[in-house]
Amino acid sequence: MNNFLITPIEYLKGVGPQKAELLKKEIGIFSFKDLLEYYPFRYVDRSRYHTISELLEVNSLVQIKGRIVGIFEAGVGRNKRLTAKFQDETGMIDLVWFKGASWIKSSLKVNEEIQIYGKPTNYKGKWNIPHPEISAVAPPGGEGFQPVYSSTERLNSTGLNTKGIEKLVKVLLEQLSGQVEELLPESLRKEHRLITREQAIHWIHSPGSELEAQRARFRLKFEELFFLQLELLVRKKITMQKSKGYRMETVGSLFNEFYEKHIPFEMTNAQKKVLKEIRRDLNTGHHMNRLLQGDVGSGKTLVALLSMLLAIGNGFQAALIAPTEILALQHFESISEMLEPLNVKVALLTGSTKKKARIPLHEELQNGEISMLIGTHALLEDTVKFQNLGLVVIDEQHRFGVAQRARMWKKNKLAPHVLIMTATPIPRTLAMTFYGDLDVSVIDELPPGRKPITTMHKFDSSRLRLFGFLKEEIAKGRQVYIVYPLILESETLDFNNLMDGYEAISRSFPLPDYRVSIVHGKMKSEDKEFEMNRFVKGETQIMVATTVIEVGVNVPNASVMVIESAERFGLSQLHQLRGRVGRGAEQSYCILMTGDKLSADSTKRMQTMVRTNDGFEIAEVDLQLRGPGDLLGTQQSGLLDLKIANLSKDGQIVVMARDVAKKILTDDPTIELPANKGIRSRLSEMLKGRPDWGRIA
Ligand code: ADP
Ligand code: MG
């Protein structure tokens, strides 16, 4: 990088040691470059004022000059609000505050000329401006389009408020000419209408118009996302080249026989597409590491089965790992049944497999008699040795740690291929980024003939009617889940709720007509399994549970899912829970029970659940509500250190950036063309300390 830009910030005119110290501590600005990348978070168009009379035509942020002519408080407690009547030459509008009323009230002055900045909102046919920004009127001859920087209290107190930061940036921009290296080749800039880097840096800090600000933002967002995607693709390539994998060249007669004669139903197009991707992976000579996303009920098991048949047909063994014993057992039973007519030995291994049964099982795994092993974590133990394991399928990945997966690698000379299946949909643009170094397949279609689940949102007050409805369903022979939240922080309270609920249900659904199961985290695992099994076998009609049932049990006869305190669950969890019903031929229902008072976010979650059954659509809403950090947990948060792009809002730019990055790597795999010099230098900076980079080819 060029020397000018890495100059320490204290050398900038107007900074000095004391301010420099604060800039470093408070907002992480150490160098000129850091200051240039401290982008404004919005702009104020100081070049003009709006008038109150024209507000109806303006659908955005407005700046108005005027006076407050009266201040009123109304409401009590949480409904308390403050209203100020604000007037200019053309009319009057209300400014309103719902929070901090008394504090704001003391800072408002009546009859003094001020300017306000905010977004007019229509409430019951009347316009007002909630929570406006208030400042003294700018000096005449205003400053045009002005950037607004975020600051901190301590910075403010030394004069480094947004204005102070703006001044420093201006000083720096004046010296900038010729110092900004262009990173993107001209042809690429032309094709995608990107302005130069130097121009973008000027315009982002000091645009002459909204359009200039937009073009600057677009260029910088693109650049940021482009290099992120490029890095991910390069890393993936490096990993791929390093990891040799078993080559599975033929389709094999086993696969063909099953596919032609015994497959229980026509595969959906999505299943076919994914299977093709897997088949291709198995024959590259590299190690497959593929994530398979598919909504609950989309038929991932069949894809897993066919993939395993491919591996077996090539002379390898295959394993399927499920997160719980019940799931492992269910997979074992359904797969054994489907493979009945074929000559394939399938075995089950879980924590409760008896020692006596293990001895021959271990032996048959080692001598290759068993071709397919289905089980739980028990399968990872070092005593479990295979003759020639070629493929491992992991169902419901989020219950599996990376370390556990790594133990799988050692089960053969080369690491067996890995297929991870998850029913938690991740929005495409996020998957592209967070799993940018994995391959992702998506089953985006449900098998035909499913009756969509009907989802309803009910308030606690209608519980009696709910019980009536459950009785009708049970009378038809169906089974019901009732799920309670159990969150660690309020474990005791939640536990009490669950127990109270269980008692109320047992009272309303008395023996001998009704039998109720209960499963929660405080039970011993044998007891849990026992209760679950009673429900699976239809011996109980109601299953009261905490979220332990979240993962994958299949009880086609269960047609109602009641979720208590649904406002406390996240969208993806609600969707997962709902996926437990709708597995049989009958109409199924999901009933979301909530308290009467709901926050805006909770309301949106309930509405989304009622509106759609599409997991990917739900994931998109979840992303908007929670942001990418919360959605994926913190472990990948390094990738979220984005300066200007926003993964939940800039999806289109993510897609575009990835396409461009792919194309560059295809046309210039080692990134050596003179035109790509800028790209190379930035990328090698990003990959510094990674010796393998030199070897990409
Ligand atoms: P999930 O993706 O949630 O693991 P499953 O593999 O358990 O879904 O499949 C859900 C149900 O759909 C199963 O009963 C399965 O037999 C059935 N199924 C899977 N694929 C098809 C298909 N192509 N056509 C009809 N039914 C299918
Ligand atoms: Mg499944």
Side-chain angles (χ1 to χ4, degrees):
M1 202 190 321
N2 103 357
N3 290 332
F4 176 75
L5 290 180
I6 56 173
T7 313
I9 195 70
E10 43 266 56
Y11 295 103
L12 187 68
K13 208 178 106 205
V15 176
Q18 205 192 342
K19 280 186 180 169
E21 209 44 44
L22 273 183
L23 284 170
K24 288 176 198 172
K25 267 208 192 113
E26 297 279 302
I27 49 179
I29 293 179
F30 290 82
S31 66
F32 287 5
K33 175 175 172 284
D34 294 338
L35 181 60
L36 286 178
E37 288 178 356
Y38 194 69
Y39 303 127
F41 65 91
R42 64 175 179 78
Y43 305 90
V44 179
D45 184 359
R46 300 288 190 201
S47 63
R48 64 157 305 189
Y49 288 102
H50 295 94
T51 62
I52 291 174
S53 64
E54 71 180 354
L55 286 190
L56 294 182
E57 295 147 37
V58 182
N59 183 26
S60 65
L61 291 158
V62 294
Q63 174 171 257
I64 316 171
K65 198 160 40 169
R67 296 164 199 281
I68 290 174
V69 295
I71 300 173
F72 307 90
E73 264 179 287
V76 285
R78 285 176 60 187
N79 293 319
K80 200 162 158 175
R81 66 180 188 279
L82 178 72
T83 306
K85 299 275 173 201
F86 181 76
Q87 197 173 40
D88 72 357
E89 289 100 54
T90 67
M92 177 119 72
I93 192 166
D94 284 351
L95 313 180
V96 289
W97 289 267
F98 304 102
K99 279 187 193 142
S102 46
W103 178 73
I104 285 159
K105 190 177 170 193
S106 66
S107 69
L108 293 180
K109 298 211 174 70
V110 177
N111 243 337
E112 199 168 275
E113 180 153 76
I114 54 170
Q115 62 185 38
I116 61 147
Y117 184 81
K119 189 167 175 144
T121 328
N122 196 311
Y123 180 70
K124 292 191 177 161
K126 224 180 138 233
W127 288 89
N128 65 45
I129 301 183
H131 293 254
E133 250 177 62
I134 296 188
S135 56
V137 172
E143 292 133 282
F145 220 70
Q146 261 181 9
V148 182
Y149 297 91
S150 61
S151 180
T152 68
E153 220 176 298
R154 293 185 67 198
L155 283 172
N156 266 325
S157 69
T158 58
L160 288 179
N161 53 11
T162 172
K163 281 265 177 260
I165 295 171
E166 187 188 343
K167 262 188 215 145
L168 293 184
V169 174
K170 287 246 156 77
V171 171
L172 186 53
L173 287 178
E174 272 159 29
Q175 307 169 39
L176 203 61
S177 166
Q179 303 287 358
V180 180
E181 219 182 323
E182 179 55 61
L183 301 174
L184 304 176
E186 199 183 335
S187 57
L188 195 161
R189 289 202 322 267
K190 280 236 171 79
E191 191 182 339
H192 298 285
R193 293 183 36 83
L194 296 159
I195 56 176
T196 65
R197 193 147 193 270
E198 179 158 345
Q199 184 74 81
I201 289 177
H202 276 279
W203 279 358
I204 196 84
H205 290 289
S206 145
S209 65
E210 175 57 32
L211 183 68
E212 287 183 1
Q214 261 173 25
R215 297 201 64 189
R217 261 195 311 262
F218 179 65
R219 150 80 208 213
L220 295 170
K221 282 178 177 185
F222 174 83
E223 179 182 311
E224 186 167 45
L225 293 169
F226 168 76
F227 281 105
L228 178 60
Q229 292 300 335
L230 193 65
E231 185 189 350
L232 291 166
L233 289 170
V234 167
R235 273 203 225 170
K236 179 164 146 187
K237 206 164 157 178
I238 294 171
T239 329
M240 252 261 298
Q241 277 159 358
K242 275 202 305 202
S243 63
K244 273 215 167 78
Y246 294 110
R247 198 178 267 275
M248 302 184 179
E249 290 176 31
T250 68
V251 173
S253 54
L254 190 62
F255 180 98
N256 283 333
E257 194 186 340
F258 180 75
Y259 197 87
E260 279 154 26
K261 297 200 200 128
H262 308 296
I263 195 161
F265 22 64
E266 169 84 4
M267 296 237 280
T268 63
N269 286 329
Q271 284 171 321
K272 284 183 192 161
K273 178 194 72 188
V274 167
L275 192 67
K276 236 187 233 160
E277 289 167 343
I278 293 168
R279 249 173 71 181
R280 204 181 325 118
D281 280 1
L282 294 179
N283 193 20
T284 59
H286 297 294
H287 176 229
M288 172 174 85
N289 205 5
R290 185 169 281 279
L291 178 73
L292 171 55
Q293 282 193 56
D295 215 338
V296 275
S298 59
K300 294 186 291 294
T301 318
L302 187 64
V303 172
L305 172 61
L306 286 163
S307 310
M308 291 194 286
L309 290 181
L310 278 175
I312 296 168
N314 280 275
F316 293 89
Q317 289 164 300
L320 170 63
I321 309 183
T324 65
E325 294 210 358
I326 292 180
L327 266 177
L329 183 65
Q330 284 193 343
H331 279 319
F332 175 71
E333 283 171 352
S334 69
I335 287 177
S336 301
E337 196 184 307
M338 284 190 266
L339 295 185
E340 175 85 77
L342 300 177
N343 183 23
V344 179
K345 181 143 189 184
V346 187
L348 175 72
L349 175 62
T350 70
S352 50
T353 305
K354 295 268 166 0
K355 238 198 179 131
K356 236 170 79 192
R358 279 190 189 227
I359 297 169
L361 194 132
H362 283 181
E363 212 176 281
E364 288 172 12
L365 277 173
Q366 285 207 53
N367 68 24
E369 222 168 292
I370 293 174
S371 303
M372 189 184 292
L373 182 62
I374 297 173
T376 56
H377 299 57
L379 215 146
L380 292 172
E381 284 160 23
D382 293 334
T383 48
V384 181
K385 294 197 178 78
F386 293 81
Q387 186 193 50
N388 192 15
L389 182 63
L391 170 69
V392 180
V393 182
I394 302 175
D395 196 6
E396 312 290 356
Q397 162 251 4
H398 50 287
R399 299 280 160 128
F400 254 83
V402 176
Q404 286 171 316
R405 243 181 284 154
R407 294 177 72 172
M408 221 61 233
W409 284 196
K410 291 183 282 182
K411 295 271 176 197
N412 205 346
K413 283 180 231 69
L414 295 178
H417 294 294
V418 176
L419 178 67
I420 300 163
M421 307 198 292
T422 168
T424 312
I426 303 164
R428 195 166 111 83
T429 53
L430 273 198
M432 237 177 227
T433 305
F434 288 95
Y435 298 110
D437 55 353
L438 277 188
D439 290 296
V440 181
S441 291
V442 178
I443 304 186
D444 50 8
E445 173 187 14
L446 292 182
R450 292 276 167 84
K451 283 208 184 84
I453 301 164
T454 302
T455 302
M456 293 173 271
H457 171 207
K458 299 281 174 201
F459 294 101
D460 288 340
S461 41
S462 52
R463 188 167 307 277
L464 271 183
R465 261 190 294 160
L466 169 71
F467 282 1
F469 173 72
L470 299 184
K471 284 184 177 164
E472 283 168 27
E473 284 294 303
I474 292 170
K476 291 187 210 155
R478 312 280 138 67
Q479 288 164 284
V480 173
Y481 293 105
I482 304 178
V483 177
Y484 284 79
L486 201 138
I487 293 164
L488 280 181
E489 294 90 71
S490 50
E491 202 176 332
T492 318
L493 200 69
D494 281 348
F495 188 69
N496 293 342
N497 283 343
L498 171 77
M499 284 312 184
D500 290 349
Y502 175 61
E503 259 173 43
I505 291 156
S506 302
R507 245 181 287 120
S508 308
F509 295 85
L511 290 163
D513 293 345
Y514 302 98
R515 280 176 310 269
V516 184
S517 279
I518 180 165
V519 169
H520 57 75
K522 291 193 177 175
M523 289 163 68
K524 280 206 217 112
S525 66
E526 305 106 81
D527 297 343
K528 267 193 271 188
E529 301 271 330
F530 177 78
E531 279 298 308
M532 286 299 276
N533 263 326
R534 289 213 307 153
F535 187 71
V536 171
K537 290 191 205 132
E539 293 168 11
T540 58
Q541 297 103 343
I542 300 179
M543 163 61 76
V544 178
T546 53
T547 42
V548 290
I549 59 157
E550 195 182 328
V551 170
V553 275
N554 192 25
V555 184
N557 189 46
S559 67
V560 186
M561 166 64 66
V562 180
I563 304 176
E564 292 286 348
S565 304
E567 68 270 35
R568 294 180 52 202
F569 289 92
L571 262 180
S572 70
Q573 228 178 351
L574 291 172
H575 180 64
Q576 286 293 306
L577 286 169
R578 175 167 62 185
R580 298 305 111 215
V581 296
R583 300 184 156 226
E586 309 307 330
Q587 175 63 52
S588 291
Y589 303 89
C590 172
I591 300 164
L592 308 167
M593 300 298 290
T594 70
D596 295 334
K597 263 208 173 151
L598 288 182
S599 69
D601 275 11
S602 304
T603 309
K604 175 109 197 213
R605 288 202 297 271
M606 298 311 129
Q607 286 169 345
T608 306
M609 286 293 293
V610 170
R611 187 188 74 234
T612 178
N613 274 308
D614 179 338
F616 283 91
E617 195 179 330
I618 287 170
E620 291 288 348
V621 177
D622 209 15
L623 176 62
Q624 304 301 333
L625 288 177
R626 292 201 289 160
D630 277 350
L631 210 64
L632 290 164
T634 44
Q635 79 257 58
Q636 288 120 327
S637 62
L639 279 178
L640 294 173
D641 269 346
L642 296 174
K643 293 221 158 65
I644 188 163
N646 177 332
L647 289 175
S648 35
K649 297 196 178 121
D650 298 322
Q652 275 180 322
I653 311 181
V654 176
V655 175
M656 175 185 157
R658 187 164 182 96
D659 288 347
V660 174
K662 268 190 187 157
K663 184 161 186 306
I664 298 256
L665 279 178
T666 312
D667 297 347
D668 182 16
T670 48
I671 313 197
E672 276 171 347
L673 293 179
N676 291 336
K677 198 172 136 242
I679 296 181
R680 187 179 176 93
S681 85
R682 164 60 66 91
L683 188 64
S684 46
E685 223 168 79
M686 293 170 78
L687 294 168
K688 222 180 264 166
R690 262 185 254 275
D692 286 322
W693 150 238
R695 277 200 274 133
I696 69 162

